[in-house]
Amino acid sequence: MFMYKIGVVGEKDAVIAFLALGLTVKAVESPDEAMKAVDGMAREGYGIIFVTETVAKDIEETIERYKNQMLPAIILIPGSKGSLGIGMAKIKENVEKAVGVDILSKKEG
């Protein structure tokens, strides 16, 4: 059975704990470092790359490039200062595209 590697890219204080789970961690300090880390992991065949929202907002083009590919799956996670709401917005967008309607919004009624 083949297992894909899982990587995490983000600011050091947000991603360091993932080392304890045995994941590959790339602590980055600039958008350029983040782009290189994501592209490098994609080239190396990572199946899932978690990227903190704080970093993701600065490398949208890089993340967009992998959006329509099967692998790697790029999943946004909250950064060290909490969620910016970007990850949930992307999930809602994808669910709406798949289902045809926004089923995740809380509706008053």
Side-chain angles (χ1 to χ4, degrees):
M1 184 168 128
F2 180 75
M3 299 273 293
Y4 286 103
K5 295 184 278 186
I6 300 173
V8 186
V9 177
E11 59 278 12
K12 185 178 181 178
D13 48 345
V15 300
I16 201 77
F18 288 94
L19 282 172
L21 299 174
L23 306 182
T24 303
V25 172
K26 301 281 184 182
V28 296
E29 294 181 11
S30 71
D32 190 51
E33 283 182 16
M35 284 186 279
K36 287 178 182 168
V38 169
D39 287 339
M41 287 179 172
R43 267 193 313 278
E44 292 170 27
Y46 280 71
I48 299 173
I49 303 171
F50 292 103
V51 180
T52 61
E53 291 177 331
T54 313
V55 168
K57 70 179 176 49
D58 293 329
I59 62 165
E60 287 181 28
E61 284 182 23
T62 301
I63 291 171
E64 222 23 63
R65 197 169 50 238
Y66 297 105
K67 185 173 140 185
N68 295 321
Q69 294 182 25
M70 192 67 132
L71 294 174
I74 296 185
I75 301 170
L76 304 186
I77 58 174
S80 58
K81 294 181 173 78
S83 178
L84 301 176
I86 300 168
M88 190 58 182
K90 293 281 185 201
I91 290 170
K92 284 177 63 174
E93 178 184 309
N94 289 333
V95 168
E96 188 170 346
K97 192 185 308 175
V99 178
V101 64
D102 181 3
I103 61 171
L104 296 178
S105 287
K106 293 180 183 173
K107 303 258 190 299
E108 299 288 325

